């Protein structure tokens, strides 16, 4: 099972299609199935072969081929969760992380700390629903909130920078958005989420528009945040 | 379905048994089943009757009888989650809440904010894994940490008091413990969790010993914390 967090099903399908054609031409006994799971696209590969060894070899070839086609958006080829992969990379790079969450309400911190031993690299974080807490606990400038609103890229970056500085962490993540179902506006509908990452070398920020209910929006936002951290650690371009 | 968060299965069973005997004597057509679900004991009642009305009446009688026997440890008789029930009570009492979490890593905040509209009463909180953050963000006195250790009732209370003061919240919750599997000591094994509540009228604190894996310990701790808040609110005048 290959998992991809930050691409649409149709985009994954499009990149995978030439690989499928190659497998057919090479008579590789692989049946691929694409599945849109919550927060990620999964490519399930099944091999039908005479022996277990032959099947394993075909699966390995196919998996390598797909990773070649899709690139580092594939976060696992062996069923790991995104929090496990992200945690493993943080540990391998010797980096610590701190998180400032608004609309995800602590879900990112909770998922990161579901991994045993995560206290080695997760320093902690802040859940700041109110603007007052964003100012008091994260040092977000009041003028920024007034000028751009709480759900804005400048505020997301200020949250990421603030929590990073406050915790003396290598990486800071800031998430601000509207989980819904209420609270949306015409220009910032429910499901709008800003995710920012602060690290040596500069901040990066992106605004997403997630669909689905409150819990789906929260989950997707934590997936995208972890994938942003993961790819930054891999050295990929944002 | 009746749900009970803070009692053992055998204790619930013991309190329910006289009710079962009464139903048999009164020929109430109810079949009860007890189920130990993650973080709660569930009593499932099934009625076999001639008509839907008769069944509904029997179920209502049985549910009322069980609530009478078990008391306010029953947090719902209609399938609500503990975060929904706790949120409804906070709203009804016009109280706000803030949370300081260590071993639960944000799960309590995330669960509380799974409820739509929860931003009305959840102000936010802090996830402080390290002692440094407990001191810096929550104002836990360094001497307390040195004297009692991070996983101790005085530190739990200081976290609850600190987050409540910091957020100017009506209720503060502090959770500190060892989610495991690592990190335990002979006198504080993995699964040891201190849960403190700070509110007008004084703090309360209790130490639990949960069994199970890391995620089970995290979940149980959030259940007990919410149930503590729920029962405190029930004991208060609205």
């Amino acid at each position: 099972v290959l998992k991809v967090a930050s691409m649409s099903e149709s985009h994954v399908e499009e990149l995978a299609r030439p690989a499928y054609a190659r497998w057919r031409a090479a008579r590789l006994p692989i049946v691929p199935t694409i599945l849109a799971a919550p927060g990620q696209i999964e490519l399930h590969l099944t091999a039908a072969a005479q022996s277990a060894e032959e099947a394993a070899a075909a699966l390995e070839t196919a998996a390598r081929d797909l990773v070649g086609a899709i690139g580092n958006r594939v976060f696992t080829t062996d069923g790991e969760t995104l929090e496990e992969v992200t945690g493993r990379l943080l540990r391998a790079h010797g980096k610590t992380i701190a998180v400032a969450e608004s609309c995800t309400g602590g879900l990112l911190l909770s998922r990161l700390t579901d991994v045993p031993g995560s206290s080695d690299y997760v320093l902690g974080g802040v859940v700041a629903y109110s603007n007052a807490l964003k100012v008091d606990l994260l040092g977000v400038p009041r003028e920024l909130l007034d000028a751009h609103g709480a759900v804005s890229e400048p505020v997301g970056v200020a949250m990421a920078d603030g929590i990073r500085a406050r915790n003396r962490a290598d990486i800071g993540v800031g998430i601000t958005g509207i989980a819904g179902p209420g609270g949306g506006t015409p220009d910032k509908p429910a499901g709008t989420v800003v995710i920012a990452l602060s690290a040596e070398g500069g901040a990066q920020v992106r605004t997403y528009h997630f669909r689905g209910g409150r819990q789906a929006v929260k989950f997707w936002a934590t997936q995208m945040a972890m994938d942003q951290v993961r790819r930054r650690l891999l050295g990929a371009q944002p």
Side-chain angles (χ1 to χ4, degrees), chain A residues 1 4 10 16 22 34 38 44 50 53 70 94 99 118-119 122 131 181 185 193 206 211 230:
Chain A
V1 178
V4 182
S10 57
R22 280 195 296 279
I34 193 163
H44 293 240
Q50 302 290 352
E53 290 73 23
I70 302 170
V99 176
S118 48
S119 51
V122 178
N131 280 355
T185 60
V193 181
R206 204 176 140 189
R211 275 177 293 186
R230 184 186 67 84

Side-chain angles (χ1 to χ4, degrees), chain A residues 96-101 108-109 123-128 133-134 137-140 155-175 196-198:
Chain A
T96 57
I97 191 168
V99 176
E101 303 187 53
L108 177 54
L109 283 158
L123 297 183
V126 161
V127 175
L133 283 190
K134 291 186 182 83
L137 287 183
L138 298 169
V140 175
V155 168
V157 171
M159 289 171 66
D161 284 341
I163 198 71
R164 181 176 163 231
R166 192 109 207 188
N167 288 268
R168 294 172 210 89
D170 297 307
I171 296 173
V173 176
I175 306 180
L197 192 157
S198 168

Side-chain angles (χ1 to χ4, degrees), chain A residues 83-84 87-88 90-91 95-97 111-123:
Chain A
E83 49 270 37
E84 286 167 341
R88 193 164 37 69
L90 283 164
R91 187 186 294 280
K95 300 290 188 198
T96 57
I97 191 168
R111 291 188 62 199
L112 286 170
T113 61
D114 274 346
V115 180
S118 48
S119 51
D120 293 345
Y121 50 83
V122 178
L123 297 183

Side-chain angles (χ1 to χ4, degrees), chain A residues 197-216:
Chain A
L197 192 157
S198 168
E200 201 182 31
Q204 62 194 64
V205 61
R206 204 176 140 189
T207 302
Y208 296 86
H209 298 278
F210 301 118
R211 275 177 293 186
R214 185 176 181 86
Q215 293 181 37

